[in-house]
């Protein structure tokens, strides 16, 4: 892997694609600085090695050119504090001001460019735009794993202008190392735990994982499509009828490959989609009409926990139930705790994807699992087995 650990940055101008796409409130204050914090080690390493660091990022989804609420200038103060140095800012990511400020930047100094997506050329992957960005620096570092699945100008196209000076920053490197550790080098038994609302968003992941795992645990809303495919009665639970055949095919493939599939035996069911609904436990394949499954039941929690605790490698994506509602959060909490227990006994556990990351944070288990991926969509595409343009552009 080409990383910033084996390159001489002395006197170089280094252009770093970071992910500063942070949430801002009405006063343009940062409400979650996780993504900024994540890139600090990369930036400090480059500064320490004598590089002048030029940072570029997108923020939000501006539609038609510059917009105050999407300006990266809102990030400057926080970033300066975190780095312990005054970060300079260019009001445009290309053009004269950016050129002049980049040219005048000294070793150890940091310049942040304005939002790349103020130009539609960014998402269009425009080569000329990428060339203009590239002209600001000698070296290109990609540290934005969250956009690695996009073939944008700054995430992929630009790399061609740095054939011998392109590499991954620490965020990117860590994400790839940890996901590869699970997908390519995972010790057996390897168990994947999938949940969340729908099968449709996860079917490619299931198909790719079936070649790799020993056990596949399925919970969340998506379990009901599988249970119905097996002939079960699911009442008013979330079901994707157009995917019943797909679900059956996945179950057949699992059997052929010798993968053990675990579907919930019981479910916590409710008479409406509401935290205060009437609730009871029922066999997951005998849910009466008018009732819907919103969490996995106690018996299932026991089975899932046992499988998890007997695993050496764990990959978790998606909640086991509607964990946003306290009355249907137990399954997700208990699975998260079982993963933490397995980790304390030596298993390697990776948690990824928006809602499972939210759950792990909610239950304060971030430090009790081996790695939490912040990659979101990029991480999911990677476990689907797809090539990420941002990764390929560096490796080519
Ligand atoms: P996803 O984005 O596909 O990972 O889905 C996450 C969402 O799935 C969360 O908002 C959960 O509330 C929801 N979810 C989990 N279990 C169920 C269920 N049994 N019925 C409906 N929604 C569910």
């Amino acid at each position: 892997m080409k990383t910033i650990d084996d390159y001489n940055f002395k006197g170089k101008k280094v252009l770093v694609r970071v992910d500063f796409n942070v949430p801002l409130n009405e006063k343009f204050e940062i409400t979650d600085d996780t993504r900024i914090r994540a890139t600090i080690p990369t930036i400090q390493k480059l500064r320490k090695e004598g590089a002048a660091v030029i940072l570029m990022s997108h923020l939000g989804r501006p539609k038609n050119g510059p917009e105050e609420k999407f300006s990266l200038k809102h990030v400057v103060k926080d970033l300066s504090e975190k780095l312990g140095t005054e970060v300079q800012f260019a009001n445009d990511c290309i053009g004269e001001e950016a050129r002049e400020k980049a040219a005048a930047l000294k070793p150890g100094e940091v310049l942040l460019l304005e939002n790349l997506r103020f130009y539609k050329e960014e998402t269009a992957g425009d080569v000329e735009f990428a060339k203009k960005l590239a002209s600001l620096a000698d070296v290109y570092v990609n540290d934005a794993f969250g956009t690695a699945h996009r073939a944008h100008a700054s995430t992929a196209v630009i790399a061609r202008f740095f054939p011998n000076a392109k590499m991954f920053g620490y965020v990117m490197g860590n994400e790839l190392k940890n996901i590869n550790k699970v997908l390519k080098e995972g010790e057996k038994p390897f168990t994947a735990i999938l949940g969340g609302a729908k099968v449709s968003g996860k079917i490619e992941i299931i198909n790719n994982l079936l070649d790799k795992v020993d056990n596949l645990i399925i919970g969340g809303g998506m379990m009901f499509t599988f249970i119905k495919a097996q002939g079960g009665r699911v009442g008013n639970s979330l079901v994707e009828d157009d995917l019943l055949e797909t679900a059956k095919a996945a179950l057949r493939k699992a059997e052929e490959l010798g993968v053990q599939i675990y579907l919930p035996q019981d479910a916590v069911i409710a008479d409406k989609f509401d935290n205060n609904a009437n609730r009871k436990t029922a066999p997951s394949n005998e849910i009466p009409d008018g009732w819907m499954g919103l969490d996995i039941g106690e018996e299932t929690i026991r089975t899932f926990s046992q499988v998890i605790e007997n695993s050496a490698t764990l990959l978790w994506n998606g909640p086991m139930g509607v964990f946003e509602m306290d009355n249907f959060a137990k399954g997700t909490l208990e699975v998260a705790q079982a993963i933490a227990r397995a980790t304390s006994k030596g298993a390697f556990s990776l948690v990824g994807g928006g809602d499972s990351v939210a759950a792990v944070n909610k239950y304060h288990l971030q430090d009790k699992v081996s790695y939490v991926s912040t990659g979101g969509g990029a991480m999911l595409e990677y476990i689907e087995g797809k090539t990420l343009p941002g990764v390929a552009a560096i490796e080519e």
Side-chain angles (χ1 to χ4, degrees):
M1 209 193 288
K2 286 186 260 184
T3 74
I4 55 175
D5 278 329
D6 20 60
Y7 194 85
N8 183 0
F9 291 102
K10 203 152 190 233
K12 301 280 190 210
K13 297 242 162 30
V14 182
L15 184 59
V16 190
R17 177 51 159 106
V18 289
D19 181 2
F20 284 172
N21 182 27
V22 290
L24 302 173
N25 64 17
E26 322 77 62
K27 290 194 228 145
F28 304 125
E29 292 158 345
I30 300 163
T31 54
D32 180 353
D33 66 352
T34 311
R35 287 175 173 156
I36 300 178
R37 267 190 286 121
T39 57
I40 299 300
T42 297
I43 301 169
Q44 298 296 50
K45 161 80 177 172
L46 296 172
R47 291 179 64 213
K48 201 175 96 210
E49 301 288 321
V53 181
I54 305 161
L55 304 172
M56 57 177 176
S57 177
H58 75 286
L59 174 62
R61 297 185 171 192
K63 291 270 168 335
N64 271 313
E67 254 180 279
E68 171 75 10
K69 67 172 175 183
F70 296 125
S71 174
L72 276 166
K73 71 181 178 205
H74 304 308
V75 166
V76 172
K77 187 166 155 276
D78 180 79
L79 181 62
S80 299
E81 281 166 16
K82 288 187 166 73
L83 290 174
T85 187
E86 200 60 44
V87 171
Q88 301 174 39
F89 185 69
N91 290 294
D92 193 345
C93 61
I94 54 171
E96 207 175 309
E97 188 192 344
R99 265 200 313 277
E100 281 172 6
K101 287 190 168 160
L105 204 66
K106 297 195 195 61
E109 292 184 341
V110 182
L111 168 69
L112 173 63
L113 306 178
E114 182 55 289
N115 196 341
L116 295 158
R117 291 201 190 161
F118 285 170
Y119 288 87
K120 61 177 181 342
E121 287 86 347
E122 162 63 358
T123 49
D126 185 80
V127 179
E128 283 308 308
F129 177 70
K131 195 173 171 185
K132 285 178 196 159
L133 292 168
S135 72
L136 300 174
D138 312 302
V139 181
Y140 169 67
V141 172
N142 190 348
D143 211 19
F145 186 70
T147 48
H149 56 320
R150 307 279 181 229
H152 293 170
S154 71
T155 61
V157 180
I158 193 171
R160 73 183 68 172
F161 298 106
F162 299 92
N164 300 311
K166 52 180 183 175
M167 56 207 79
F168 298 119
Y170 289 140
V171 174
M172 221 29 191
N174 277 336
E175 287 278 343
L176 294 173
K177 198 173 73 199
N178 282 293
I179 305 174
N180 283 338
K181 191 162 168 171
V182 165
L183 291 184
K184 300 189 179 153
E185 302 147 26
E187 260 178 62
K188 302 206 151 249
F190 177 8
T191 300
I193 306 124
L194 296 180
K198 291 183 171 177
V199 180
S200 43
K202 306 276 163 81
I203 194 67
E204 288 177 65
I205 294 178
I206 294 173
N207 280 327
N208 192 42
L209 285 179
L210 284 176
D211 292 328
K212 302 181 170 60
V213 299
D214 304 293
N215 307 305
L216 177 60
I217 288 177
I218 298 175
M222 63 193 269
M223 71 195 213
F224 297 108
T225 301
F226 285 93
I227 289 168
K228 187 165 175 183
Q230 290 178 323
R233 280 177 58 212
V234 298
N236 292 32
S237 305
L238 195 63
V239 168
E240 288 164 284
D241 281 313
D242 52 332
L243 288 179
L244 292 174
E245 286 308 315
T246 308
K248 269 187 214 163
L251 292 170
R252 266 198 309 275
K253 181 174 170 187
E255 199 173 333
E256 283 161 20
L257 291 169
V259 174
Q260 193 67 45
I261 299 255
Y262 291 90
L263 281 161
Q265 306 102 295
D266 59 347
V268 178
I269 62 173
D271 59 356
K272 55 179 188 253
F273 193 79
D274 189 320
N275 190 43
N276 299 317
N278 292 309
R279 66 202 144 92
K280 56 186 179 184
T281 298
S284 56
N285 58 358
E286 287 173 34
I287 300 177
D289 287 342
W291 290 76
M292 61 187 88
L294 296 184
D295 197 7
I296 56 176
E298 290 291 340
E299 210 185 311
T300 304
I301 288 174
R302 272 194 296 278
T303 311
F304 284 8
S305 298
Q306 208 169 33
V307 176
I308 289 167
E309 287 192 60
N310 287 327
S311 300
T313 304
L314 294 156
L315 170 65
W316 180 31
N317 169 264
M320 294 292 104
V322 185
F323 78 112
E324 297 93 334
M325 300 182 195
D326 287 344
N327 285 334
F328 306 103
K330 187 157 195 263
T332 302
L333 169 64
E334 297 253 3
V335 159
Q337 287 173 333
I339 294 171
R341 282 196 300 276
T343 311
S344 74
K345 289 189 283 182
F348 184 84
S349 56
L350 181 122
V351 181
D355 279 313
S356 18
V357 175
V360 161
N361 291 339
K362 184 171 169 182
Y363 306 133
H364 306 292
L365 295 170
Q366 308 93 312
D367 300 331
K368 304 233 156 67
V369 297
S370 309
Y371 190 73
V372 179
S373 168
T374 53
M379 185 248 180
L380 296 183
E381 286 199 19
Y382 200 64
I383 51 179
E384 279 171 15
K386 290 191 183 141
T387 302
L388 305 183
V391 174
I394 300 282
E395 285 176 344
E396 259 156 25

